[in-house]
Amino acid sequence: MPKTSFSAGSLIPGVLAFSVMAVCGPFLFAQQPMAPLPTSPMATLPTAGQWRSPGQDPRVSDARPMQQLRPADSSEMGLTPDEQRNIYVYDKGNRSVCHIMTRSVQRDTTFGLLMSETPSEGSGSGSVLDKQGHILTNYHVIEGATEIDVTLFNAESYPAELVGQDPVNDIAVLKIDVPADLLVPVELGDSSNLRVGQKAFAIGNPFGLERTMTIGIISSLNRMLPSRSGRTMKAIIQIDAALNRGNSGGPLFDSNGRLIGMNTAIASRTGQNTGVGFAIPVATIRRVAPQLIAEGKITRPDLGVSRVYLTDDGLGVASLVQGGPAEQAGLQGFQLVRQQVRRGPYVYEETRVDRSKADVITAVDGTAIESADDLLTAIERKNPGEVVKLSVLREGKKVDVPVTLGVGD
């Protein structure tokens, strides 16, 4: 039986497989390989209300100006209300969708010696965020790229530079230098109140076919996916709208043409769409993208715990960052004990590791912790300078330890 795989943007040069939680099989992050190559400051940041779609540009031949919805019986073409809604969403959102093309060089080395270099190209999707030329896409779409080009709705391509990236959440922001009147920003929606069963509209560039729309429903919520960083992305939206290679980084719209997510992967045994797709919720994008635009990176809070281990009761603290937030708060890790040992006529000094006094973290602000990823996720929902309450087991007794978070890398 062929192996289940997951994909949805453009992989350079091929398909990466990951094991997945909550779904059986690996994921393909779909970045479309291009033929004929064989491989494939915060103060100035626009607010969410400014990230909206203005009027349409008449130069596009395949998308008519957005029209007001009409009842079916008054439609000259006999369109049903459902069809009118589909057209409305496409007319409103398609000019915000970009086609992203990347070039990279794959190096073949043997025993540390460079043997050959092979050029490769890839393709994915993106969305216009604002009139300043910021483009939203997946990190895996542009990972390793030496050149990036963005094609807008007018079929013109523009060189793009990488503004910032967040591999943990598979999000990247690019920037192109173009006149503001050519940019049609996407309107950001809300993913906090999504319901299973509501319609979802995906627009992207599967197999390089620009601004293709597919329609489905939200199949499930709060899925988990492995990211390229090895961490787990949570609160992922599952959809059944058809996604294929090249769709990665493209927008997922609600019935009002507002962005509710960014398409990122599919589950598939063949590498093609099987009706199980995944999208990063817009709530994550709202949190990450402004910081990438302002600073070029994500500044994450730091707990000051450098090494942990799993126990039956929670997450044991093995070592702490010297002078870090956790150590200053009194958290305890492994202790080094020096003792003298007599062997015959000689006395030796030995050092041993005492694990008995190490704290075991069981919860953060009341949320149970069962793994290192749980701990990181709970901490990263906070900001540097905030205080978190760690519930720990210390020599068999429950203790609450308040920790003021520092600034991480």
Side-chain angles (χ1 to χ4, degrees), residues 181-260:
D181 60 349
L182 294 181
L183 296 167
V184 184
V186 69
E187 179 183 352
L188 300 189
D190 183 7
S191 57
S192 63
N193 296 311
L194 296 178
R195 300 290 299 273
V196 172
Q198 75 179 78
K199 267 193 172 183
F201 303 78
I203 304 181
N205 307 286
F207 309 111
L209 300 172
E210 296 184 356
R211 290 181 297 143
T212 296
M213 184 171 80
T214 55
I215 305 172
I217 64 169
I218 294 176
S219 303
S220 189
L221 298 167
N222 298 315
R223 294 300 194 190
M224 296 186 293
L225 285 180
S227 71
R228 303 295 291 271
S229 68
R231 294 281 307 281
T232 300
M233 298 183 290
K234 300 184 178 182
I236 297 297
I237 304 167
Q238 180 184 333
I239 60 174
D240 72 348
L243 302 179
N244 286 286
R245 300 181 186 181
N247 272 112
S248 273
L252 183 70
F253 294 112
D254 63 12
S255 294
N256 291 306
R258 297 173 298 198
L259 184 76
I260 56 172

Coordinates of all heavy atoms in Angstrom, one line a residue, residues 181-260:
D181 N -1.2 51.5 -6.3 CA -2.5 51.2 -7.0 C -2.6 49.8 -7.6 O -3.6 49.4 -8.1 CB -2.8 52.3 -8.0 CG -1.7 52.4 -9.1 OD1 -0.7 51.7 -9.0 OD2 -2.0 53.1 -10.1
L182 N -1.4 49.1 -7.7 CA -1.4 47.8 -8.2 C -1.6 46.7 -7.1 O -1.7 45.5 -7.4 CB -0.1 47.5 -8.9 CG 0.2 48.3 -10.2 CD1 1.5 47.9 -10.8 CD2 -0.9 48.1 -11.2
L183 N -1.7 47.2 -5.8 CA -1.8 46.3 -4.7 C -3.2 46.3 -4.2 O -3.8 47.3 -3.9 CB -0.8 46.7 -3.6 CG 0.7 46.6 -4.0 CD1 1.5 47.3 -3.0 CD2 1.1 45.1 -4.1
V184 N -3.8 45.1 -4.1 CA -5.2 45.0 -3.5 C -5.1 44.1 -2.3 O -5.0 42.9 -2.3 CB -6.1 44.3 -4.6 CG1 -7.5 44.2 -4.0 CG2 -6.0 45.0 -5.9
P185 N -5.0 44.7 -1.1 CA -4.8 44.0 0.1 C -6.0 43.1 0.5 O -7.1 43.4 0.2 CB -4.6 45.1 1.2 CG -4.1 46.3 0.4 CD -4.9 46.2 -0.9
V186 N -5.6 41.9 1.0 CA -6.7 41.0 1.5 C -7.3 41.6 2.7 O -6.7 42.3 3.5 CB -6.1 39.6 1.7 CG1 -5.1 39.7 2.9 CG2 -7.1 38.6 1.9
E187 N -8.6 41.3 2.9 CA -9.3 41.7 4.2 C -9.2 40.6 5.2 O -9.6 39.4 4.9 CB -10.8 42.0 3.9 CG -11.5 42.4 5.1 CD -13.0 42.6 4.9 OE1 -13.4 42.6 3.7 OE2 -13.7 42.8 5.9
L188 N -8.6 40.9 6.3 CA -8.5 39.9 7.4 C -9.8 39.6 8.1 O -10.5 40.6 8.5 CB -7.4 40.3 8.4 CG -6.0 40.5 7.9 CD1 -5.0 40.7 9.0 CD2 -5.5 39.4 7.0
G189 N -10.1 38.4 8.3 CA -11.3 38.0 9.0 C -11.0 37.6 10.4 O -10.0 38.0 11.0
D190 N -11.8 36.6 10.9 CA -11.7 36.2 12.3 C -11.8 34.6 12.3 O -12.7 34.1 11.8 CB -12.8 36.8 13.2 CG -12.7 36.4 14.6 OD1 -11.7 35.8 15.0 OD2 -13.6 36.8 15.4
S191 N -10.8 34.0 12.9 CA -10.8 32.5 12.9 C -11.2 32.0 14.3 O -11.3 30.8 14.5 CB -9.5 31.9 12.5 OG -8.5 32.4 13.4
S192 N -11.6 32.9 15.2 CA -11.9 32.4 16.6 C -13.3 31.8 16.7 O -13.5 31.1 17.7 CB -11.7 33.6 17.6 OG -12.7 34.6 17.3
N193 N -14.2 32.1 15.8 CA -15.5 31.6 15.9 C -15.9 30.7 14.7 O -17.1 30.6 14.4 CB -16.5 32.8 16.0 CG -16.3 33.6 17.3 OD1 -16.2 33.1 18.4 ND2 -16.2 34.9 17.1
L194 N -15.0 30.1 14.1 CA -15.3 29.2 13.0 C -16.0 28.0 13.5 O -15.9 27.6 14.6 CB -14.0 28.8 12.3 CG -13.1 29.8 11.7 CD1 -11.8 29.2 11.1 CD2 -13.9 30.6 10.6
R195 N -16.9 27.5 12.6 CA -17.7 26.3 12.9 C -17.5 25.2 11.9 O -17.4 25.5 10.7 CB -19.2 26.7 13.0 CG -19.5 27.8 14.0 CD -19.4 27.3 15.4 NE -20.3 26.1 15.6 CZ -21.6 26.3 16.0 NH1 -22.1 27.5 16.2 NH2 -22.4 25.2 16.2
V196 N -17.4 24.0 12.3 CA -17.3 22.9 11.4 C -18.6 22.9 10.6 O -19.7 23.0 11.1 CB -17.1 21.6 12.2 CG1 -17.2 20.4 11.2 CG2 -15.8 21.6 12.9
G197 N -18.4 22.8 9.3 CA -19.5 22.8 8.3 C -19.7 24.1 7.5 O -20.4 24.0 6.5
Q198 N -19.1 25.2 8.0 CA -19.2 26.4 7.2 C -18.3 26.4 6.0 O -17.3 25.6 5.9 CB -18.9 27.6 8.1 CG -17.5 27.9 8.4 CD -17.3 29.2 9.2 OE1 -17.5 29.2 10.4 NE2 -16.9 30.2 8.5
K199 N -18.7 27.1 5.0 CA -18.0 27.1 3.7 C -16.6 27.7 3.8 O -16.4 28.6 4.6 CB -18.8 27.8 2.6 CG -19.7 26.9 1.8 CD -20.2 27.7 0.6 CE -21.0 26.7 -0.3 NZ -21.4 27.4 -1.6
A200 N -15.7 27.2 3.0 CA -14.4 27.7 2.9 C -14.0 27.8 1.5 O -14.2 26.8 0.7 CB -13.4 26.8 3.7
F201 N -13.4 28.9 1.1 CA -13.0 29.1 -0.3 C -11.5 29.3 -0.4 O -10.9 30.2 0.2 CB -13.6 30.4 -0.9 CG -15.1 30.4 -0.8 CD1 -15.8 30.6 0.4 CD2 -15.9 30.1 -1.9 CE1 -17.2 30.6 0.5 CE2 -17.3 30.1 -1.8 CZ -17.9 30.4 -0.6
A202 N -10.8 28.4 -1.2 CA -9.3 28.5 -1.3 C -9.0 29.1 -2.7 O -9.6 28.6 -3.7 CB -8.7 27.1 -1.1
I203 N -8.1 30.0 -2.8 CA -7.6 30.5 -4.0 C -6.1 30.4 -4.0 O -5.4 30.9 -3.1 CB -8.0 32.0 -4.3 CG1 -9.6 32.1 -4.2 CG2 -7.5 32.5 -5.7 CD1 -10.1 33.5 -4.5
G204 N -5.5 29.9 -5.1 CA -4.1 29.7 -5.1 C -3.6 29.4 -6.5 O -4.4 29.6 -7.5
N205 N -2.4 28.8 -6.6 CA -1.8 28.5 -7.9 C -1.4 27.0 -8.0 O -0.2 26.7 -8.2 CB -0.6 29.4 -8.1 CG -0.9 30.9 -7.9 OD1 -1.6 31.5 -8.8 ND2 -0.5 31.4 -6.8
P206 N -2.4 26.1 -8.0 CA -2.0 24.7 -8.1 C -1.4 24.4 -9.4 O -1.9 24.8 -10.5 CB -3.3 24.0 -7.8 CG -4.4 25.0 -8.3 CD -3.8 26.3 -7.9
F207 N -0.3 23.7 -9.4 CA 0.4 23.4 -10.7 C 0.7 24.6 -11.5 O 0.8 24.5 -12.8 CB -0.4 22.3 -11.5 CG -0.8 21.1 -10.6 CD1 -2.1 20.9 -10.3 CD2 0.2 20.2 -10.2 CE1 -2.5 19.8 -9.5 CE2 -0.2 19.1 -9.4 CZ -1.5 18.9 -9.1
G208 N 0.8 25.8 -10.9 CA 1.1 27.0 -11.6 C -0.1 27.6 -12.3 O 0.1 28.6 -13.0
L209 N -1.3 27.0 -12.1 CA -2.5 27.6 -12.7 C -3.0 28.7 -11.8 O -3.6 28.5 -10.8 CB -3.6 26.5 -12.8 CG -3.1 25.3 -13.7 CD1 -4.2 24.2 -13.6 CD2 -3.0 25.8 -15.2
E210 N -2.7 30.0 -12.2 CA -2.8 31.1 -11.4 C -4.3 31.4 -11.0 O -5.2 31.3 -11.8 CB -2.2 32.3 -12.0 CG -0.7 32.2 -12.2 CD -0.1 33.5 -12.8 OE1 -0.8 34.4 -13.1 OE2 1.2 33.5 -12.9
R211 N -4.5 31.8 -9.7 CA -5.7 32.2 -9.1 C -6.9 31.2 -9.4 O -7.9 31.6 -9.9 CB -6.0 33.6 -9.6 CG -5.1 34.6 -8.9 CD -5.4 36.0 -9.3 NE -5.2 36.2 -10.8 CZ -5.9 37.0 -11.5 NH1 -6.9 37.6 -11.0 NH2 -5.7 37.1 -12.8
T212 N -6.6 30.0 -9.0 CA -7.6 29.0 -9.1 C -8.4 28.9 -7.8 O -7.8 28.8 -6.8 CB -7.0 27.6 -9.4 OG1 -6.3 27.6 -10.7 CG2 -8.0 26.5 -9.4
M213 N -9.7 28.9 -7.9 CA -10.6 28.8 -6.7 C -11.2 27.4 -6.6 O -11.7 26.8 -7.5 CB -11.7 29.8 -6.7 CG -12.5 29.8 -5.4 SD -13.7 31.2 -5.2 CE -15.0 30.6 -6.2
T214 N -11.1 26.9 -5.3 CA -11.8 25.7 -5.0 C -12.7 25.9 -3.8 O -12.4 26.8 -3.0 CB -10.8 24.5 -4.7 OG1 -9.9 24.9 -3.7 CG2 -10.1 24.1 -6.0
I215 N -13.7 25.1 -3.6 CA -14.7 25.4 -2.5 C -14.9 24.1 -1.7 O -14.9 23.0 -2.3 CB -16.0 25.8 -3.1 CG1 -15.8 27.1 -4.0 CG2 -17.0 26.1 -2.0 CD1 -17.1 27.5 -4.8
G216 N -15.0 24.3 -0.4 CA -15.3 23.1 0.4 C -15.9 23.6 1.7 O -16.5 24.7 1.8
I217 N -15.8 22.8 2.7 CA -16.2 23.2 4.1 C -15.1 23.0 5.1 O -14.1 22.4 4.8 CB -17.4 22.3 4.5 CG1 -17.0 20.9 4.7 CG2 -18.6 22.5 3.6 CD1 -18.0 20.0 5.4
I218 N -15.3 23.6 6.2 CA -14.4 23.4 7.3 C -14.7 22.0 7.9 O -15.8 21.8 8.4 CB -14.5 24.5 8.4 CG1 -14.0 25.8 7.8 CG2 -13.7 24.1 9.6 CD1 -14.1 27.0 8.7
S219 N -13.8 21.1 7.8 CA -14.0 19.7 8.2 C -13.8 19.5 9.7 O -14.4 18.6 10.3 CB -13.1 18.8 7.4 OG -13.4 18.9 6.0
S220 N -12.8 20.2 10.2 CA -12.5 20.1 11.7 C -11.7 21.3 12.1 O -11.2 22.0 11.2 CB -11.8 18.8 12.0 OG -11.7 18.6 13.4
L221 N -11.5 21.4 13.4 CA -10.8 22.5 13.9 C -9.8 22.0 15.0 O -9.9 20.9 15.4 CB -11.7 23.6 14.6 CG -12.7 24.3 13.7 CD1 -13.8 25.0 14.5 CD2 -12.0 25.2 12.8
N222 N -8.8 22.8 15.3 CA -7.8 22.5 16.3 C -7.0 21.3 16.0 O -6.7 20.5 16.9 CB -8.5 22.4 17.7 CG -9.1 23.7 18.1 OD1 -8.5 24.8 18.0 ND2 -10.4 23.6 18.6
R223 N -6.7 21.1 14.7 CA -5.8 20.0 14.4 C -4.3 20.4 14.7 O -4.1 21.6 15.0 CB -5.9 19.7 12.9 CG -7.2 19.1 12.4 CD -7.5 17.8 13.1 NE -8.6 17.1 12.5 CZ -9.2 16.0 13.0 NH1 -8.8 15.6 14.2 NH2 -10.1 15.4 12.3
M224 N -3.4 19.4 14.7 CA -2.0 19.7 15.0 C -1.2 19.2 13.8 O -1.4 18.1 13.2 CB -1.5 19.0 16.2 CG -2.2 19.6 17.5 SD -1.6 18.9 19.0 CE -2.1 17.2 18.9
L225 N -0.2 20.0 13.4 CA 0.7 19.6 12.3 C 2.2 19.9 12.7 O 2.5 20.8 13.4 CB 0.5 20.5 11.1 CG -0.8 20.3 10.2 CD1 -0.8 21.3 9.1 CD2 -0.7 18.9 9.6
P226 N 3.1 19.0 12.3 CA 4.5 19.3 12.5 C 5.0 20.4 11.6 O 4.6 20.4 10.4 CB 5.2 17.9 12.2 CG 4.3 17.3 11.2 CD 2.9 17.7 11.6
S227 N 5.8 21.3 12.1 CA 6.4 22.3 11.3 C 7.8 22.0 10.9 O 8.4 21.0 11.4 CB 6.4 23.7 12.0 OG 7.3 23.7 13.1
R228 N 8.3 22.8 10.0 CA 9.7 22.5 9.5 C 10.7 22.6 10.6 O 11.8 22.1 10.5 CB 10.0 23.4 8.3 CG 9.1 23.4 7.2 CD 9.1 22.0 6.5 NE 10.3 21.8 5.8 CZ 10.6 22.1 4.6 NH1 9.7 22.7 3.9 NH2 11.8 21.8 4.0
S229 N 10.4 23.3 11.7 CA 11.3 23.5 12.8 C 11.4 22.3 13.7 O 12.2 22.2 14.6 CB 11.0 24.8 13.6 OG 9.7 24.6 14.2
G230 N 10.5 21.3 13.5 CA 10.4 20.2 14.4 C 9.3 20.4 15.5 O 9.0 19.5 16.2
R231 N 8.8 21.7 15.6 CA 7.8 22.0 16.6 C 6.4 21.6 16.0 O 6.3 21.2 14.9 CB 7.8 23.5 16.9 CG 9.1 23.9 17.7 CD 9.0 23.6 19.1 NE 7.8 24.1 19.7 CZ 7.6 25.4 20.0 NH1 8.6 26.2 19.9 NH2 6.4 25.8 20.6
T232 N 5.4 21.7 16.9 CA 4.1 21.4 16.4 C 3.2 22.6 16.3 O 3.1 23.4 17.2 CB 3.4 20.4 17.4 OG1 4.2 19.2 17.5 CG2 2.0 20.1 17.0
M233 N 2.6 22.8 15.1 CA 1.7 23.9 14.9 C 0.3 23.5 15.4 O -0.2 22.4 15.1 CB 1.6 24.3 13.5 CG 2.9 24.8 12.9 SD 2.7 25.4 11.1 CE 2.4 23.8 10.3
K234 N -0.4 24.3 16.2 CA -1.6 23.9 16.8 C -2.8 24.8 16.3 O -2.5 25.8 15.7 CB -1.6 23.9 18.3 CG -0.5 23.0 18.9 CD -0.5 22.9 20.4 CE 0.6 21.9 20.8 NZ 0.6 21.7 22.3
A235 N -4.0 24.5 16.6 CA -5.2 25.2 16.2 C -5.3 25.3 14.7 O -5.9 26.2 14.2 CB -5.2 26.6 16.8
I236 N -4.8 24.3 14.0 CA -4.9 24.3 12.5 C -6.3 23.9 12.1 O -7.0 23.1 12.7 CB -3.9 23.2 12.0 CG1 -2.4 23.6 12.4 CG2 -4.0 23.0 10.5 CD1 -2.0 24.9 11.8
I237 N -6.7 24.6 11.0 CA -8.0 24.4 10.4 C -7.9 23.2 9.4 O -7.1 23.2 8.5 CB -8.5 25.6 9.7 CG1 -8.5 26.8 10.6 CG2 -9.9 25.4 9.0 CD1 -8.7 28.2 9.9
Q238 N -8.8 22.3 9.4 CA -8.9 21.2 8.4 C -10.1 21.5 7.5 O -11.2 21.8 7.9 CB -9.1 19.9 9.1 CG -9.2 18.7 8.0 CD -9.5 17.4 8.7 OE1 -9.2 17.2 9.9 NE2 -10.1 16.5 8.0
I239 N -9.8 21.4 6.2 CA -10.8 21.7 5.2 C -10.8 20.6 4.1 O -9.9 19.8 4.0 CB -10.5 23.0 4.4 CG1 -9.1 23.0 3.8 CG2 -10.6 24.2 5.4 CD1 -8.8 24.2 2.9
D240 N -11.9 20.5 3.3 CA -12.0 19.6 2.3 C -11.9 20.2 0.9 O -12.0 19.5 -0.1 CB -13.2 18.7 2.4 CG -14.5 19.4 2.0 OD1 -14.5 20.6 1.9 OD2 -15.5 18.7 1.9
A241 N -11.7 21.5 0.8 CA -11.5 22.2 -0.5 C -10.3 21.7 -1.1 O -9.3 21.4 -0.5 CB -11.4 23.7 -0.3
A242 N -10.3 21.4 -2.4 CA -9.2 20.8 -3.1 C -8.0 21.7 -3.1 O -8.0 22.9 -3.5 CB -9.6 20.5 -4.6
L243 N -6.9 21.2 -2.5 CA -5.6 21.8 -2.5 C -4.6 20.9 -3.2 O -4.6 19.7 -3.0 CB -5.1 22.1 -1.1 CG -6.0 23.0 -0.2 CD1 -5.4 23.1 1.2 CD2 -6.2 24.3 -0.8
N244 N -3.7 21.5 -3.9 CA -2.6 20.7 -4.6 C -1.3 21.4 -4.5 O -1.2 22.5 -3.9 CB -3.0 20.4 -6.0 CG -4.1 19.3 -6.2 OD1 -3.8 18.2 -6.0 ND2 -5.3 19.8 -6.5
R245 N -0.3 20.9 -5.1 CA 1.0 21.5 -5.1 C 1.0 22.8 -5.7 O 0.5 22.9 -6.9 CB 2.1 20.6 -5.7 CG 2.3 19.3 -5.1 CD 3.3 18.5 -5.8 NE 3.4 17.1 -5.3 CZ 4.2 16.2 -5.7 NH1 5.1 16.5 -6.7 NH2 4.3 15.0 -5.1
G246 N 1.4 23.9 -5.0 CA 1.3 25.2 -5.5 C 0.3 26.0 -4.8 O 0.3 27.3 -4.9
N247 N -0.5 25.4 -4.0 CA -1.5 26.1 -3.2 C -1.0 26.6 -1.9 O -1.6 27.5 -1.2 CB -2.7 25.2 -2.8 CG -3.8 25.2 -3.8 OD1 -4.0 24.2 -4.5 ND2 -4.5 26.3 -4.0
S248 N 0.2 26.1 -1.4 CA 0.8 26.6 -0.2 C 1.0 28.1 -0.2 O 1.5 28.7 -1.1 CB 2.1 25.9 0.1 OG 1.9 24.7 0.7
G249 N 0.6 28.7 1.0 CA 0.7 30.2 1.1 C -0.5 30.9 0.6 O -0.6 32.1 0.9
G250 N -1.4 30.3 -0.1 CA -2.6 31.0 -0.6 C -3.6 31.2 0.5 O -3.6 30.5 1.5
P251 N -4.6 32.1 0.2 CA -5.6 32.4 1.2 C -6.7 31.4 1.3 O -7.1 30.8 0.3 CB -6.1 33.8 0.7 CG -5.9 33.7 -0.8 CD -4.7 32.9 -1.0
L252 N -7.3 31.3 2.5 CA -8.6 30.6 2.7 C -9.6 31.7 3.1 O -9.4 32.4 4.1 CB -8.4 29.5 3.7 CG -9.6 28.7 4.0 CD1 -9.9 27.8 2.8 CD2 -9.4 27.8 5.3
F253 N -10.7 31.8 2.4 CA -11.7 32.8 2.6 C -12.9 32.2 3.3 O -13.3 31.1 3.0 CB -12.1 33.5 1.3 CG -11.0 34.3 0.7 CD1 -10.4 33.9 -0.5 CD2 -10.5 35.5 1.3 CE1 -9.4 34.7 -1.1 CE2 -9.5 36.3 0.7 CZ -8.9 35.9 -0.5
D254 N -13.7 33.1 4.0 CA -15.0 32.7 4.4 C -16.0 33.2 3.3 O -15.6 33.8 2.3 CB -15.3 33.3 5.8 CG -15.3 34.8 5.8 OD1 -15.3 35.5 4.8 OD2 -15.4 35.4 7.0
S255 N -17.3 33.1 3.6 CA -18.3 33.4 2.6 C -18.4 34.9 2.3 O -19.1 35.3 1.4 CB -19.7 32.9 3.0 OG -19.7 31.5 3.0
N256 N -17.8 35.8 3.2 CA -17.8 37.2 2.9 C -16.4 37.7 2.3 O -16.2 38.9 2.2 CB -18.0 37.9 4.3 CG -19.4 37.8 4.8 OD1 -20.3 38.0 4.1 ND2 -19.5 37.3 6.0
G257 N -15.6 36.7 1.8 CA -14.4 37.1 1.2 C -13.3 37.6 2.1 O -12.4 38.3 1.7
R258 N -13.4 37.2 3.4 CA -12.4 37.6 4.4 C -11.5 36.5 4.7 O -11.9 35.3 4.7 CB -13.1 38.1 5.6 CG -14.0 39.3 5.4 CD -14.8 39.7 6.7 NE -15.7 38.6 7.1 CZ -16.7 38.7 7.9 NH1 -17.0 39.9 8.4 NH2 -17.5 37.7 8.2
L259 N -10.2 36.8 4.8 CA -9.2 35.8 5.1 C -9.4 35.2 6.5 O -9.4 35.8 7.5 CB -7.8 36.4 5.0 CG -6.6 35.5 5.2 CD1 -6.4 34.7 3.9 CD2 -5.3 36.2 5.6
I260 N -9.5 33.9 6.5 CA -9.6 33.1 7.8 C -8.5 32.2 8.0 O -8.3 31.6 9.1 CB -11.0 32.4 7.8 CG1 -11.1 31.4 6.7 CG2 -12.1 33.3 7.9 CD1 -12.3 30.5 6.8

